[in-house]
Amino acid sequence: MTTKVDIRFEFPAPSIPLPPETREAFVAALRARPGTWALMGQHSSPGSARQAAYCIRWALRLRSFQPAGAFEADAKTVMGEHRVYVRYVGEDAASASSEVTAR
């Protein structure tokens, strides 16, 4: 018995930063569904995905994700794709994390 397998051979997509207006729409959608993870995009390497997740968590270079701590981000490698997942956890989580950091 032979099993049919659908395979799509292709190179991974290059990292393409979201333009500001698209990023704002993405952030608005996350804020509308707190606690729900969403795929933000793919990166060319695991290191660049981890760096993007770090910048989102700490709201570095990306004003859309302010205040720091209001969003969680995680970098995962899935079947050779380096992905960044993001979720909105709220302003309360951001203030709680800044209080812990200040101590």
Side-chain angles (χ1 to χ4, degrees):
M1 178 169 137
T2 58
T3 304
K4 183 180 177 190
V5 179
D6 290 327
I7 299 175
R8 192 167 94 188
F9 293 95
E10 63 182 42
F11 287 102
S15 298
I16 301 172
L18 290 176
E21 60 277 1
T22 304
R23 189 170 45 247
E24 292 297 331
F26 180 77
V27 168
L30 291 174
R31 287 180 186 272
R33 295 186 61 182
T36 304
W37 288 98
L39 174 64
M40 183 170 176
Q42 288 183 199
H43 290 263
S44 57
S45 72
S48 65
R50 284 192 306 271
Q51 181 66 31
Y54 178 85
C55 288
I56 290 166
R57 284 192 300 270
W58 293 103
L60 303 173
R61 296 188 300 243
L62 299 170
R63 293 183 185 263
S64 307
F65 294 100
Q66 289 181 349
F71 292 85
E72 290 181 347
D74 198 9
K76 298 284 185 190
T77 299
V78 179
M79 307 260 321
E81 295 178 354
H82 312 294
R83 301 177 180 181
V84 175
Y85 293 90
V86 184
R87 73 177 172 177
Y88 176 67
V89 293
E91 310 286 323
D92 294 337
S95 63
S97 70
S98 64
E99 287 174 16
V100 170
T101 307
R103 292 181 189 169

